[in-house]
Amino acid sequence: MNKESLLKKAYDPNTFRQKGHELVNQLADLLAHTQNRKGKVTNPKPPEELLKFWKSHSVQGSHDLFQNVIDQSTKVHHPKYIGHQVSVPVPVSALSNLLSGLLNNGMGIYEMGEGATAIEKIVVDIFCDHIGYKGGGGVFTSGGTLANLTGLLAARASYKEKKIWTEGTSDQYCIMVSEMAHYCVDRAVRIMGWGENGIIKVPVNDGFSMDTLALSSLYDKATKDGKKVLAIVGSAPCTATGSYDDLHAIADFCKDQKLWFHVDGAHGGPAIFSKKYNYLMSGAERADSVVIDAHKMMLTPALTTALLFKRKDDSYHTFIQDAYYLWEGQEDREWYNLARRTFECTKVMMAVRVFTIIKEYGIKIFDEYVTRQYNLAREFAEVLEQSDDFELAIFPDSNIVCFRYIPNYQSNNQEDISELNRKIRKDIFQKGDFYLVQTQQNDDLYLRVSLMNPLTTMDDLKEVLDEIRVYSREELT
Ligand SMILES: *Cc1c(COP(=O)(O)O)cnc(C)c1O
């Protein structure tokens, strides 16, 4: 076959139609299967085995390839998926992924992705509205990690000595953040070149929230050491235990010291949509910037992240340098030329995923979802509290619950308890009926669940507890 005929074949509309229907059928079958709690959540195989599998030429064509990828993936749509904080995408939102995948508009400049650019502004405005920003604005960007870095770059750009972007600096800048914060905040600081001295870790209280009473002395010490404190990052919530920082307390401190206040609401920012739980985000309206992942608690595929600013102009300061070939020297701040304000040049049409859900089901779906998951976590915590063989790390703020198994016949040696829980978690993963993860708090290991799946019920969770009891007995005999 010559080259031309291959290309012609690859773009044939009828083949696409047929393969598209096939894939949708495969995925709909997966949904039906998992929602009926059939099959496993995980089916772990050693990496070398899968490498060998894919290097062999046993897989032919896209249908076979898709099916094998489905089979070799963790099934987030299975109600017994209670692992990492990735969303369980609403199927119609995954279709919008296919839409943007085929249209493939770059969205850096308005000409490329006009409709999706207007949609992005509407969705950004909805977020700002629910945060309580008046005159706010922002952008969508590729993930919470990048959004936090971008927010901190904006903070740096609006610092009183704004010249770092053009002149660089040898001054020691720093930010303050809870020791429980997501590691990407630490990473952002190091990317900005401030080193380990650029991050001041604020201790947490018994509830794993930032001890805001410690801010004042840490700030004074940093200033005395010649550091320039630029911002405080609040976690809403922190990843490990799902505990929200006291955003008002941080806002008060930032106001007094004239610091930038950034809220990392990657996981729990969508509480703004819950009438019952929006109090957890209270104080975010006083923050200068807020990050919210839609691919965690807003039912979209990854990566879909909103970076919101209280003053919309701040988002135009982040990357001051001009790419003249894109903007031809235009002076005014055009909301619709997005690459000016985002790290990405070519950007995926990601806000369409959120807007698709809103158009299909109304914005109330986010209230229903967040409220349901946060309620379920509280009910689960109560069951754990009432049992005499489980220990809760902390009563949950969000849909993340950390706990461990301490059977009556177990010694009280903390190392033994951690070791037992580590083994239990490994056994569960290998067997694949549930998927949960683990977290280390001080020296203790806890089992950790994120209740992401809207079909997970209390009965599912009680089954996990029973399974843990069985595994424990097997481990100890
Ligand atoms: C998940 C998470 C991040 C990182 O976001 P990505 O979208 O995975 O890059 C940052 N902060 C918190 C609190 C998170 O939960």
Side-chain angles (χ1 to χ4, degrees):
M1 243 184 260
N2 65 35
K3 240 183 178 176
E4 222 174 44
S5 72
L6 265 187
L7 286 172
K8 212 165 168 213
K9 192 174 157 197
Y11 286 88
D12 177 56
N14 285 325
T15 310
F16 175 68
R17 197 185 306 278
Q18 182 218 328
K19 289 190 180 295
H21 284 300
E22 272 175 23
L23 175 61
V24 169
N25 284 337
Q26 283 170 297
L27 292 174
D29 287 347
L30 170 75
L31 287 178
H33 195 68
T34 51
Q35 285 175 12
N36 286 323
R37 293 175 172 71
K38 288 195 191 130
K40 305 268 184 186
V41 184
T42 57
N43 181 19
K45 294 207 168 56
E48 297 305 327
E49 185 184 324
L50 289 185
L51 209 54
K52 217 167 121 196
F53 172 84
W54 286 104
K55 274 183 180 166
S56 77
H57 296 283
S58 52
V59 176
Q60 299 289 333
S62 61
H63 182 272
D64 201 14
L65 180 144
F66 292 157
Q67 194 56 49
N68 275 289
V69 172
I70 291 171
D71 295 345
Q72 293 173 13
S73 297
T74 301
K75 310 294 185 296
V76 298
H77 288 86
H78 198 301
K80 289 173 176 173
Y81 172 85
I82 47 176
H84 290 289
Q85 304 148 270
V86 298
S87 78
V88 177
V90 163
V92 73
S93 179
L95 290 180
S96 63
N97 248 28
L98 175 61
L99 174 78
S100 68
L102 192 94
L103 296 175
N104 206 31
N105 279 200
M107 284 193 76
I109 49 168
Y110 181 62
E111 292 171 9
M112 281 297 289
E114 299 193 352
T117 302
I119 286 173
E120 175 162 326
K121 175 156 168 51
I122 291 168
V123 178
V124 160
D125 287 349
I126 290 172
F127 276 89
C128 286
D129 221 37
H130 280 79
I131 289 172
Y133 278 165
K134 294 183 183 65
V139 289
F140 270 77
T141 193
S142 304
T145 299
L146 192 61
N148 280 320
L149 172 61
T150 310
L152 290 173
L153 286 170
R156 193 181 72 170
S158 30
Y159 194 70
K160 44 188 184 275
E161 308 151 42
K162 282 182 187 173
K163 295 185 184 140
I164 305 175
W165 185 268
T166 40
E167 296 169 15
T169 180
S170 54
D171 292 349
Q172 178 66 62
Y173 286 92
C174 67
I175 62 156
M176 299 167 82
V177 64
S178 145
E179 60 178 329
M180 295 291 289
H182 192 271
Y183 70 88
C184 72
V185 176
D186 189 286
R187 208 177 258 188
V189 164
R190 288 162 200 265
I191 290 169
M192 290 190 289
W194 302 344
E196 62 185 359
N197 286 326
I199 186 155
I200 297 173
K201 298 235 165 108
V202 185
V204 290
N205 58 28
D206 291 346
F208 296 103
S209 301
M210 181 192 282
D211 177 9
T212 51
L213 296 175
L215 283 174
S216 179
S217 61
L218 286 169
Y219 177 83
D220 289 345
K221 181 170 185 314
T223 316
K224 220 166 82 211
D225 292 346
K227 296 183 185 177
K228 295 182 174 176
V229 184
L230 202 137
I232 302 184
V233 177
S235 303
C238 68
T239 307
T241 60
S243 317
Y244 283 77
D245 286 345
D246 180 345
L247 303 182
H248 276 295
I250 303 174
D252 288 341
F253 189 82
C254 287
K255 189 172 171 226
D256 287 348
Q257 302 298 341
K258 298 192 170 50
L259 302 174
W260 185 281
F261 177 24
H262 176 79
V263 172
D264 178 4
H267 178 82
I272 56 174
F273 296 103
S274 164
K275 282 188 211 67
K276 183 169 173 189
Y277 291 111
N278 63 12
Y279 71 90
L280 292 162
M281 282 294 283
S282 181
E285 72 284 0
R286 299 171 63 195
D288 300 284
S289 50
V290 176
V291 164
I292 299 179
D293 276 350
H295 61 263
K296 281 178 176 164
M297 288 298 291
M298 290 179 72
L299 307 167
T300 72
L303 295 164
T304 312
T305 304
L307 170 61
L308 297 323
F309 293 91
K310 180 159 70 187
R311 298 164 300 272
K312 60 170 168 267
D313 274 2
D314 281 333
S315 78
Y316 295 87
H317 296 154
T318 320
F319 308 104
I320 304 169
Q321 111 258 35
D322 272 323
Y324 288 108
Y325 65 95
L326 291 181
W327 295 295
E328 295 167 1
Q330 290 148 349
E331 298 277 306
D332 41 335
R333 299 195 162 149
E334 297 157 333
W335 59 266
Y336 44 84
N337 281 324
L338 291 165
R340 207 161 214 181
R341 296 184 283 154
T342 59
F343 225 104
E344 299 98 325
C345 174
T346 306
K347 193 175 86 155
V348 177
M349 302 157 79
M350 55 187 101
V352 177
R353 299 165 188 160
V354 181
F355 205 54
T356 305
I357 297 175
I358 294 174
K359 281 288 155 188
E360 278 291 329
Y361 307 106
I363 196 155
K364 281 201 183 116
I365 191 173
F366 302 126
D367 182 4
E368 183 179 329
Y369 172 63
V370 173
T371 306
R372 182 193 183 277
Q373 303 312 103
Y374 280 30
N375 281 343
L376 183 62
R378 282 158 176 75
E379 285 160 32
F380 183 44
E382 277 161 20
V383 169
L384 290 164
E385 274 182 338
Q386 280 154 21
S387 76
D388 50 16
D389 50 357
F390 284 95
E391 182 192 77
L392 196 59
I394 173 85
F395 199 83
D397 275 346
S398 63
N399 57 331
I400 296 170
V401 187
C402 298
F403 62 99
R404 55 187 188 155
Y405 186 52
I406 310 184
N408 300 326
Y409 45 87
Q410 167 86 21
S411 78
N412 277 331
N413 182 319
Q414 293 297 314
E415 269 176 42
D416 291 351
I417 294 171
S418 286
E419 190 50 31
L420 174 65
N421 280 275
R422 182 177 294 114
K423 282 182 179 159
I424 289 171
R425 140 70 208 168
K426 205 170 150 212
D427 290 344
I428 290 179
F429 175 64
Q430 287 300 335
K431 190 156 173 234
D433 291 328
F434 296 91
Y435 181 68
L436 49 78
V437 295
Q438 63 190 38
T439 181
Q440 190 91 17
Q441 292 315 320
N442 304 319
D443 291 329
D444 299 329
L445 184 127
Y446 285 87
L447 303 172
R448 176 173 172 278
V449 301
S450 305
L451 303 177
M452 305 305 287
N453 191 309
L455 302 179
T456 302
T457 62
M458 201 56 226
D459 284 343
D460 292 317
L461 298 173
K462 283 180 179 162
E463 274 180 40
V464 182
L465 299 185
D466 286 340
E467 183 149 334
I468 288 170
R469 291 181 176 111
V470 171
Y471 278 127
S472 164
R473 248 170 265 136
E474 283 169 9
E475 284 292 347
L476 291 170
T477 50

